[in-house]
Structure formats: structure tokens, C-alpha cells
Amino acid sequence: MSEDAGVPPPLPSPSRDLGRLRDDLDRHGYCLLEAVLGEGERERVVEALTGPGSSSRERPQPDDGAPLWSYRDGDEWVPLRIGEYALDYLVGHPVALGLARHLLGERFHLSEFAAHVIHPGNRIMELHTDQWWMPQPGIPGEPAVRPGDITREVQPHGRPAPANRPISPSVVLSFMWAITDFTAANGATRLVPGSHLSGLHPDPAGDYDEVTAEVPAGGAVIWDARTWHASGANGSGAPRIGVQTSYCAVQFRQLRNFTLGLPPEVQASLSDDMRSLLGFRLWSSYGATDDYDVEFARPGYERAGERVSRTD
Ligand SMILES: O=C(O)CCC(=O)C(=O)O
């Protein structure tokens, strides 16, 4: 039966068909990727999290020889580094870039690259959107919050039904790689289907129809940043490990400041496509250091003493 006959379209299930993933994202606000990463690729993430230099490892460790994380609770975000442990393929994966291009257009930036580890016994996360800072469209004369005054608390709450007035577009694609299986028992991502079309944010005290995004290790949960979502509770005996690679439209601020954070020797080793993704490439003069006419920005101190003017 067709959608026209009043039957709602089925909710997303894991697929690797890009057309299906795009349709699910548009219609439901999320899609599920079936397993495309191999075991070796997933193991490299665990090495990056537990190996030397990992910010997770540098936190206090058990001194009784117990395995890393065995005594932790709650959840932790662990930043991953470009150019280390051969993990860059996660941010440049063709499915991730194809979906980011679909939602955001030809130019976009990597916004975040971090693992989200949900330890057994964590507390459930509150539903939220990943573009809570987005100014709301308004009608002239209506009260409005100035962009620099926006906090999570001042954004409008309501039901997740489609809006009947203009809403903001999505400007972020959130992509969560499943490094372990994501199951209802171990804290898989929860989402409210269709909430991306509401133009609203979830009320912390609200009760909504959620789905749990179960995907096998090596797959991914992908959502439009307007979709209401959160991680679940881990009642299993092992950590749930996800890696978030999120992408933002080129005119928005990235969550991670890659241009400042990347050591010069790592920058020099990257392809132009990767440097563009990380935010080094100018976009209509935006992102310049001191020369508006170059394609890629370079440190201002390399041009000390020279002045180059913008012409438009
Ligand atoms: O780890 C998850 O399942 C969801 C994480 C989340 O809520 C977020 O990235 O905003």
C-alpha cells in the first residue's frame, strides 16, 4: 500500500543504499547504516581510546591491573585526532560525505571527531537537538532572542509534530559510528522520528514516542541535527562505543577548532580535500588570516609585515 492510502512509511532499518538512506533522513530525520567497517577498523578506534596519548587513558586509572574503563560509570566524550591511528577514513567515508552533501550542499566542514563511550550503569541522557543554538525564524514585530543570547533553555519547546510556520533548515549532520553493537540494552541512540520538522526542542519533562536505533558494530546511526535524540541507558556489562563525526554547513562554527589544534606537520601531510573539510579553505573570503585571495588560509605570521586588502 502507498503512503497516499494513509499508511505511514516504515521506520528506517539498516541499509547501505544511499538513496534509501537519504529518503529516510529527509522523511524521518534519521537513517541507519548497516555494517560497513571491518573488525580491524573498529579495533583501531579502541586502540586510539586506550593507547598512549588518549585523553581517556590520561584520566585516573585503576591501580589493581583491572582493564581500562572497568571502574568507570557515566559517559565520556574522548576527542580523536586527525592523522593518528589511521582513523581519518571515518571522517572521509563516502557514505558520510554523501549524506553530508545531501543535507548541507557542496561545501561543509567537519564539526566534531570524538568517541562517545557509554559505560555500564550510566544515567540516561536528556533528549536534545544538535543545533540548539540556531536562531529561530521570526515574524516582524514578534519578540525574538538575539543570536548571541541563545542558550538551550530559551529555545521553544513543544510537540514533535510538523510545523505550520517556517522553520530553520538543518545545518548539521550528526553521524555516529557504532564501534560496538548498539542495542537497546547497552545504550543505543534514542530518537523521536519526524521531530526534525517541528522547528521545536524537546521539553526536558516531556514524554515522547522514541525509537531505539539498534545497529550492528561497523554500522552507524545518522541524524539531521534538528531531530530530538539522546543516548540510552547501558544496562549491559560492557561499554557501548560510538564515534561521532558530525559535519556543519560552511558558514557555521565547528565544535572542534581543527585549524588551531592540528600540529603543522599533520596539516602538511593532509590532502586538499581533508584540509578543506577541516576548515582551512576560504569560503568567499571567510576564514582568511591576512590574504583574502588565497585558496587555503595559512598562519598569519608567515605573512608578517604585508597587508593585502579585500576588494569586494
Ligand atoms: O551517543 C549517542 O548515542 C548520542 C549522542 C548525542 O546525543 C549527541 O551526539 O548529541
Side-chain angles (χ1 to χ4, degrees):
M1 270 205 273
S2 74
E3 204 177 323
D4 298 343
V7 177
L11 288 174
S13 56
S15 169
R16 65 171 71 194
D17 177 74
L18 198 54
R20 161 95 192 274
L21 296 171
R22 283 196 297 250
D23 284 352
D24 283 345
L25 189 61
D26 292 345
R27 186 172 301 190
H28 301 288
Y30 72 101
C31 58
L32 305 178
L33 177 64
E34 66 184 42
V36 295
L37 303 180
E39 200 179 332
E41 292 169 315
R42 291 186 283 110
E43 270 168 11
R44 288 214 293 279
V45 172
V46 177
E47 275 168 39
L49 293 176
T50 54
S54 157
S55 59
S56 180
R57 191 177 182 89
E58 280 154 14
R59 288 174 208 168
Q61 296 299 304
D63 53 13
D64 55 3
L68 181 70
W69 291 337
S70 58
Y71 67 111
R72 296 258 171 90
D73 55 16
D75 66 332
E76 62 178 323
W77 286 95
V78 186
L80 294 170
R81 300 195 184 104
I82 296 292
E84 288 188 11
Y85 291 95
L87 294 182
D88 295 2
Y89 68 93
L90 290 176
V91 306
H93 194 283
V95 173
L97 298 185
L99 290 173
R101 195 170 295 118
H102 171 65
L103 202 66
L104 308 174
E106 284 306 315
R107 284 288 306 271
F108 50 85
H109 288 147
L110 182 70
S111 177
E112 177 59 307
F113 184 32
H116 193 202
V117 185
I118 311 278
H119 296 288
N122 69 318
R123 272 214 318 250
I124 201 157
M125 194 188 243
E126 269 180 12
L127 289 171
H128 58 278
T129 77
D130 284 344
Q131 57 177 67
W132 56 266
W133 33 257
M134 185 72 172
Q136 291 283 321
I139 293 183
E142 279 186 350
V145 181
R146 294 174 299 179
D149 295 338
I150 291 175
T151 61
R152 289 177 189 268
E153 288 68 38
V154 301
Q155 291 289 42
H157 298 150
R159 301 299 308 168
N164 57 12
R165 57 181 284 174
I167 64 171
S168 304
S170 179
V171 296
V172 173
L173 177 81
S174 297
F175 201 106
M176 180 67 75
W177 289 103
I179 302 304
T180 57
D181 288 335
F182 273 31
T183 66
N186 77 1
T189 316
R190 299 136 48 215
L191 303 116
V192 180
S195 52
H196 62 308
L197 302 180
S198 68
L200 299 171
H201 298 259
D203 185 331
D207 185 16
Y208 304 108
D209 288 335
E210 301 171 2
V211 295
T212 302
E214 294 199 302
V215 285
V221 184
I222 303 128
W223 62 92
D224 171 320
R226 298 172 300 178
T227 305
W228 304 0
H229 70 279
S231 48
N234 188 349
S236 79
R240 188 224 74 176
I241 306 175
V243 167
Q244 189 172 72
T245 59
S246 58
Y247 305 85
C248 63
V250 73
Q251 58 273 71
F252 289 85
R253 189 161 188 178
Q254 295 152 267
L255 205 120
R256 284 271 289 286
N257 192 335
F258 295 106
T259 52
L260 187 63
L262 266 191
E265 65 281 7
V266 178
Q267 286 180 41
S269 72
L270 300 175
S271 67
D272 281 357
D273 282 350
M274 183 59 97
R275 290 197 301 139
S276 177
L277 194 59
L278 295 177
F280 289 89
R281 187 165 162 212
L282 272 60
W283 182 70
S284 189
S285 296
Y286 286 82
T289 48
D290 53 6
D291 186 341
Y292 301 102
D293 294 324
V294 292
E295 194 179 359
F296 286 92
R298 57 193 150 179
Y301 54 74
E302 286 183 8
R303 304 278 314 229
E306 289 180 49
R307 282 193 193 283
V308 185
S309 322
R310 198 150 59 94
T311 46
D312 57 355

PDB file of all heavy atoms in Angstrom, residues 36 75 97 184 217 231 264 273 295:
ATOM      1  N   VAL A  36      29.524  -1.559   7.685  1.00  0.00           N
ATOM      2  CA  VAL A  36      30.447  -1.361   6.557  1.00  0.00           C
ATOM      3  C   VAL A  36      31.901  -1.330   7.034  1.00  0.00           C
ATOM      4  O   VAL A  36      32.812  -1.365   6.222  1.00  0.00           O
ATOM      5  CB  VAL A  36      30.131  -0.059   5.766  1.00  0.00           C
ATOM      6  CG1 VAL A  36      28.765  -0.132   5.102  1.00  0.00           C
ATOM      7  CG2 VAL A  36      30.232   1.176   6.649  1.00  0.00           C
ATOM      8  N   ASP A  75      29.141   8.586  31.208  1.00  0.00           N
ATOM      9  CA  ASP A  75      29.598   8.506  29.824  1.00  0.00           C
ATOM     10  C   ASP A  75      30.752   9.478  29.653  1.00  0.00           C
ATOM     11  O   ASP A  75      30.955  10.363  30.475  1.00  0.00           O
ATOM     12  CB  ASP A  75      28.466   8.819  28.833  1.00  0.00           C
ATOM     13  CG  ASP A  75      27.983  10.249  28.902  1.00  0.00           C
ATOM     14  OD1 ASP A  75      28.091  10.861  29.985  1.00  0.00           O
ATOM     15  OD2 ASP A  75      27.496  10.758  27.892  1.00  0.00           O
ATOM     16  N   LEU A  97      30.193  11.439   3.670  1.00  0.00           N
ATOM     17  CA  LEU A  97      30.298  12.643   2.838  1.00  0.00           C
ATOM     18  C   LEU A  97      29.091  12.774   1.908  1.00  0.00           C
ATOM     19  O   LEU A  97      28.590  13.878   1.675  1.00  0.00           O
ATOM     20  CB  LEU A  97      31.592  12.622   2.017  1.00  0.00           C
ATOM     21  CG  LEU A  97      32.898  12.621   2.831  1.00  0.00           C
ATOM     22  CD1 LEU A  97      34.100  12.735   1.907  1.00  0.00           C
ATOM     23  CD2 LEU A  97      32.923  13.739   3.870  1.00  0.00           C
ATOM     24  N   ALA A 184      19.358  -1.935  22.483  1.00  0.00           N
ATOM     25  CA  ALA A 184      18.507  -1.287  23.490  1.00  0.00           C
ATOM     26  C   ALA A 184      19.110  -1.516  24.879  1.00  0.00           C
ATOM     27  O   ALA A 184      18.992  -0.685  25.771  1.00  0.00           O
ATOM     28  CB  ALA A 184      17.100  -1.854  23.413  1.00  0.00           C
ATOM     29  N   ALA A 217      27.707  -3.588  15.089  1.00  0.00           N
ATOM     30  CA  ALA A 217      29.046  -2.989  15.104  1.00  0.00           C
ATOM     31  C   ALA A 217      29.530  -2.829  13.664  1.00  0.00           C
ATOM     32  O   ALA A 217      29.382  -3.742  12.854  1.00  0.00           O
ATOM     33  CB  ALA A 217      29.986  -3.899  15.881  1.00  0.00           C
ATOM     34  N   SER A 231      21.526   9.526  23.948  1.00  0.00           N
ATOM     35  CA  SER A 231      21.954   8.144  24.149  1.00  0.00           C
ATOM     36  C   SER A 231      21.067   7.499  25.220  1.00  0.00           C
ATOM     37  O   SER A 231      20.395   8.195  25.994  1.00  0.00           O
ATOM     38  CB  SER A 231      23.431   8.084  24.545  1.00  0.00           C
ATOM     39  OG  SER A 231      23.691   8.998  25.570  1.00  0.00           O
ATOM     40  N   PRO A 264      51.381  21.637  12.797  1.00  0.00           N
ATOM     41  CA  PRO A 264      51.738  21.980  11.416  1.00  0.00           C
ATOM     42  C   PRO A 264      52.178  20.777  10.592  1.00  0.00           C
ATOM     43  O   PRO A 264      51.836  20.673   9.421  1.00  0.00           O
ATOM     44  CB  PRO A 264      52.891  22.979  11.569  1.00  0.00           C
ATOM     45  CG  PRO A 264      52.793  23.482  12.966  1.00  0.00           C
ATOM     46  CD  PRO A 264      52.068  22.456  13.776  1.00  0.00           C
ATOM     47  N   ASP A 273      41.493  18.026  -0.005  1.00  0.00           N
ATOM     48  CA  ASP A 273      40.093  17.724   0.362  1.00  0.00           C
ATOM     49  C   ASP A 273      39.942  17.660   1.878  1.00  0.00           C
ATOM     50  O   ASP A 273      38.975  18.166   2.448  1.00  0.00           O
ATOM     51  CB  ASP A 273      39.656  16.379  -0.232  1.00  0.00           C
ATOM     52  CG  ASP A 273      39.326  16.504  -1.713  1.00  0.00           C
ATOM     53  OD1 ASP A 273      39.251  17.645  -2.208  1.00  0.00           O
ATOM     54  OD2 ASP A 273      39.165  15.460  -2.365  1.00  0.00           O
ATOM     55  N   GLU A 295      43.562  30.286  -1.749  1.00  0.00           N
ATOM     56  CA  GLU A 295      42.514  29.264  -1.596  1.00  0.00           C
ATOM     57  C   GLU A 295      42.507  28.719  -0.173  1.00  0.00           C
ATOM     58  O   GLU A 295      41.448  28.495   0.412  1.00  0.00           O
ATOM     59  CB  GLU A 295      42.750  28.137  -2.608  1.00  0.00           C
ATOM     60  CG  GLU A 295      41.518  27.260  -2.706  1.00  0.00           C
ATOM     61  CD  GLU A 295      41.651  26.134  -3.704  1.00  0.00           C
ATOM     62  OE1 GLU A 295      42.709  26.019  -4.365  1.00  0.00           O
ATOM     63  OE2 GLU A 295      40.689  25.362  -3.791  1.00  0.00           O
TER      64      GLU A 295
END
